[in-house]
Structures are given as C-alpha cells and as structure tokens.
C-alpha cells in the first residue's frame, strides 16, 4: 500500500469519527456550535484524504476554500461543494470568538452539503485507485483511532507525535 493511500485511510477514519460525534449530538441544539465544528472537521479531513490519495501533500490549513482550490487544481470538479465554505467559521474562530448557526434549517442544509461531499470524496478516492476503510484492511500496526495523519503535524512524523504526546 502506498504511503498516500495509507494517509488517506487514516484521514477518512478520523472524518468518520467526526461524523459520529455529529450524529450523537444532533438532538442537542444547545451544542449546535460543536456540531458545526465537527461538520467542518469532517469536510476538512475528507478533502485532505482526496488530495493525499492523488499524490499531493495537503496544505496545513483548516480553510475549506483553500482545500477545494487544491482539489480543483488536481482536476476535480468541486463547484457544487463551494457551500461548504460556510463551515470555515467553525474551524478556529469558534474556539475564540464563537460562531453560530441561525437555525436548525441552516444546520440541516450544511449537513446535506457535507453528506454530498462525503460521496464526492469516496468517488474521488476510488477513482484515484484508493480504497476506504472497510474496503481493504489497514496495514499491520495502523490503528486509525490512535494514529494521526503523517504530514499534518508540525512535529513531522507519527513516531515523534506519539513521543511528544505520551503514546510511544
């Protein structure tokens, strides 16, 4: 398995966990900002998985517009996904100044957009010769729940990440 495909699988599994958090919190409108945050995280990780599997290192950004532009530069048609950019306010600003959705309809519309992006990402990864978790087993020693994507941490490698965070 190529390193890029391995990284894409790890990103995809991490995005699945974000989607699970969204599903668990859906009945809690008092958590709408957290739902927005995890929707943004899911979209970001799936876009990065698409970019990685095509052999390009994704930029170190949370900006979905930037990631969509990189995917477009890779030859993918992403115009229908541009509404995801609305999730950018949940990426970082939420943690400091707050971000919010006006109502449940706005949340539902963004969730539909993320679901559409999920399908787009799956098709794009398969078209690039990659696979998704469950379609082919992860390499020996790779646990997507505890192994971060390699090129997304400033420390440079998974081993260094684990050493720094007590997971060696």
């Amino acid at each position: 398995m190529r390193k890029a495909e391995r990284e894409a699988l790890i990103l995809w599994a991490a995005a699945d966990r974000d989607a699970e958090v969204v599903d668990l919190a859906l009945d809690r409108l008092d958590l709408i900002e957290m739902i927005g945050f995890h929707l943004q995280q899911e979209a970001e990780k799936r876009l990065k998985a698409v970019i990685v599997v095509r052999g390009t290192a994704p930029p170190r950004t949370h900006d979905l517009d930037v990631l969509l532009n990189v995917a477009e530069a890779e030859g993918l048609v992403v115009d229908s996904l541009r509404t995801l950019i609305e999730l950018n306010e949940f990426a970082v600003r939420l943690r400091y100044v707050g971000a919010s959705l006006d109502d449940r309809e706005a949340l539902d519309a963004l969730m539909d957009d993320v679901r559409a992006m999920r399908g787009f990402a799956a098709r794009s990864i398969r078209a690039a010769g990659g696979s998704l978790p469950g379609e082919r087993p992860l390499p020996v020693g790779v646990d997507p729940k505890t192994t971060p994507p390699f090129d997304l941490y400033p420390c440079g490698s998974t081993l260094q990440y684990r050493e720094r965070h007590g997971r060696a």
Side-chain angles (χ1 to χ4, degrees):
M1 178 181 292
R2 302 180 341 238
K3 179 182 176 189
E5 186 175 348
R6 183 176 169 183
E7 290 178 34
L9 285 170
I10 292 167
L11 283 163
W12 192 272
D16 282 347
R17 289 191 300 279
D18 285 306
E20 186 175 347
V21 170
V22 168
D23 289 342
L24 291 171
L26 275 180
D27 293 333
R28 298 272 315 270
L29 287 182
D30 58 317
L31 298 177
I32 201 162
E33 288 83 9
M34 291 286 83
I35 294 169
F37 172 77
H38 286 283
L39 284 172
Q40 187 282 335
Q41 287 291 291
E42 178 187 356
E44 176 185 331
K45 290 167 188 166
R46 294 205 198 279
L47 282 170
K48 286 181 177 180
V50 168
I51 293 165
V52 164
V53 83
R54 296 178 73 84
T56 300
R60 293 178 188 213
T61 184
H62 298 290
D63 190 331
L64 297 175
D65 190 31
V66 170
L67 295 170
L68 287 166
N69 289 339
V70 172
E72 190 171 53
E74 288 290 320
L76 299 170
V77 178
V78 298
D79 293 338
S80 64
L81 302 175
R82 293 283 174 191
T83 55
L84 293 172
I85 296 167
E86 293 178 44
L87 291 169
N88 276 345
E89 68 179 293
F90 293 97
V92 177
R93 284 185 280 175
L94 169 67
R95 298 175 191 171
Y96 303 104
V97 297
S100 66
L101 292 170
D102 295 333
D103 57 31
R104 182 57 189 239
E105 286 182 22
L107 173 65
D108 288 342
L110 286 171
M111 288 180 57
D112 287 343
D113 294 341
V114 172
R115 284 187 195 104
M117 189 276 312
R118 192 180 301 156
F120 161 83
R123 288 187 303 276
S124 298
I125 287 170
R126 289 182 189 116
S131 62
L132 303 177
E135 294 179 342
R136 190 165 30 184
L138 288 172
V140 175
V142 174
D143 179 358
K145 294 180 180 177
T146 59
T147 305
F150 301 106
D151 294 327
L152 302 181
Y153 291 96
C155 58
S157 77
T158 301
L159 181 58
Q160 289 171 335
Y161 176 88
R162 286 179 175 175
E163 289 170 353
R164 287 183 184 183
H165 294 82
R167 293 183 177 174

